[in-house]
Amino acid sequence: MTRVEDTLPPCPECTGEYTYEMGALMVCPSCAHEWAPADGAGEGPGVVKDSVGNVLADGDTVTVVKTLKVKGSPTGIKSGTKVRNIRLVQGVGDHDIDCKVDGIGPMQLKSSVVKKV
């Protein structure tokens, strides 16, 4: 179940968490600041794109586009493997996807080696 507080961005002025929509604007009841939702788009973390340029989001399903070697696994991850319910993170180096691969377990992947399904 998704709560409203989880989907609306915090106020860019006072970082208040109880923002709401009023027409095309976002409003903060704490400081009465009003802004367009597109105004805060550049302030957050960067947009994560897959190998072909599709924008990725939490919960997406992706396919691995090339065979990957994995330490401790004799087979690794083969090209075409589906990975469900990804989570975007600021990982080690340029690994920005946290996921669980069937048969391998939890790991982090680079967005440059996956394609959105």
Side-chain angles (χ1 to χ4, degrees), residues 5-117:
E5 294 88 19
D6 295 339
T7 59
L8 296 176
C11 176
E13 290 290 314
C14 70
T15 65
E17 59 183 322
Y18 300 108
T19 59
Y20 61 91
E21 294 181 24
M22 185 172 66
L25 295 176
M26 301 294 296
V27 180
C28 176
S30 302
C31 67
H33 178 66
E34 297 180 0
W35 73 98
D39 288 347
E43 296 175 12
V47 175
V48 178
K49 295 184 178 183
D50 66 3
S51 62
V52 293
N54 297 323
V55 177
L56 296 174
D58 286 347
D60 283 346
T61 299
V62 296
T63 302
V64 178
V65 295
K66 69 181 219 176
T67 302
L68 304 172
K69 293 181 183 177
V70 178
K71 281 186 181 178
S73 173
T75 58
I77 303 173
K78 294 183 180 179
S79 177
T81 302
K82 271 191 181 178
V83 180
R84 293 179 178 84
N85 200 17
I86 65 169
R87 201 174 56 144
L88 302 178
V89 295
Q90 295 295 326
V92 178
D94 52 353
H95 292 77
D96 44 14
I97 297 175
D98 196 22
C99 61
K100 189 174 185 183
V101 180
D102 291 338
I104 304 289
M107 64 175 27
Q108 290 186 344
L109 296 173
K110 296 179 182 180
S111 60
S112 61
V113 298
V114 298
K115 183 174 85 170
K116 189 173 181 177
V117 175

